[in-house]
Amino acid sequence: MFKTVLFPIDQSRETREAADVVTNVVKKYGSRLVLLSVVEEPPPETPSADPMVSPEVVAKLLENAQSLFSGQGIQSEILERQGKPAFTICDVADEIGADLIIMGCRGLGLTEEGADDSVTTRVINLSPCPVLIVP
């Protein structure tokens, strides 16, 4: 049913919690797992302290995630892309023919107050495939 699962990752607690769901889904369906992390483009006028703008930090994050899944007996592919997270996640899902995106949701993401700025909400609205949100 879910031949290819895309798991966008960042350094959040919600991503770590979603990893258990990813493990269960991938094992149940024998899915191909693709890990994606997006290096965000900082606004040109302000230097960012966000670690997700550092390609080195993102590369290490992907390696650690791949090791975590490998320890569970799951082979995974890693992709690092640059851009706006929600749009990049959806573009990659389309490129790889993902059947499912699994991602964590943090903060006010799915409430009315946080919907406009939420990567999660944007992915839900733009995704070419089903999206499983792990609260």
Side-chain angles (χ1 to χ4, degrees):
M1 179 171 193
F2 300 117
K3 292 178 186 167
T4 302
V5 172
L6 177 62
F7 183 36
I9 62 172
D10 61 14
Q11 294 181 311
S12 69
R13 176 180 52 83
E14 291 78 11
T15 293
R16 288 188 298 277
E17 291 171 358
D20 290 337
V21 173
V22 171
T23 298
N24 290 336
V25 169
V26 168
K27 282 186 173 183
K28 179 174 176 94
Y29 294 101
S31 308
R32 166 186 172 215
L33 176 59
V34 179
L35 306 172
L36 168 68
S37 200
V38 180
V39 178
E40 297 181 51
E41 300 167 342
E45 66 279 354
T46 50
S48 177
D50 184 351
M52 292 307 290
V53 299
S54 165
E56 296 80 18
V57 170
V58 170
K60 185 69 173 165
L61 177 67
L62 283 166
E63 287 174 23
N64 290 343
Q66 191 172 39
S67 293
L68 173 91
F69 286 108
S70 181
Q72 298 287 324
I74 297 171
Q75 296 298 319
S76 61
E77 302 166 39
I78 57 175
L79 293 175
E80 181 179 324
R81 296 288 170 88
Q82 185 168 3
K84 297 189 181 298
F87 298 109
T88 304
I89 291 166
C90 293
D91 286 346
V92 168
D94 193 41
E95 277 175 36
I96 66 170
D99 300 295
L100 179 66
I101 298 171
I102 301 176
M103 57 191 298
C105 175
R106 63 179 143 177
L108 297 173
L110 295 178
T111 65
E112 269 185 49
E113 297 86 26
D116 292 339
D117 297 325
S118 168
V119 170
T120 305
T121 300
R122 288 182 182 155
V123 169
I124 290 168
N125 289 321
L126 298 171
S127 178
C129 63
V131 180
L132 174 60
I133 304 302
V134 180

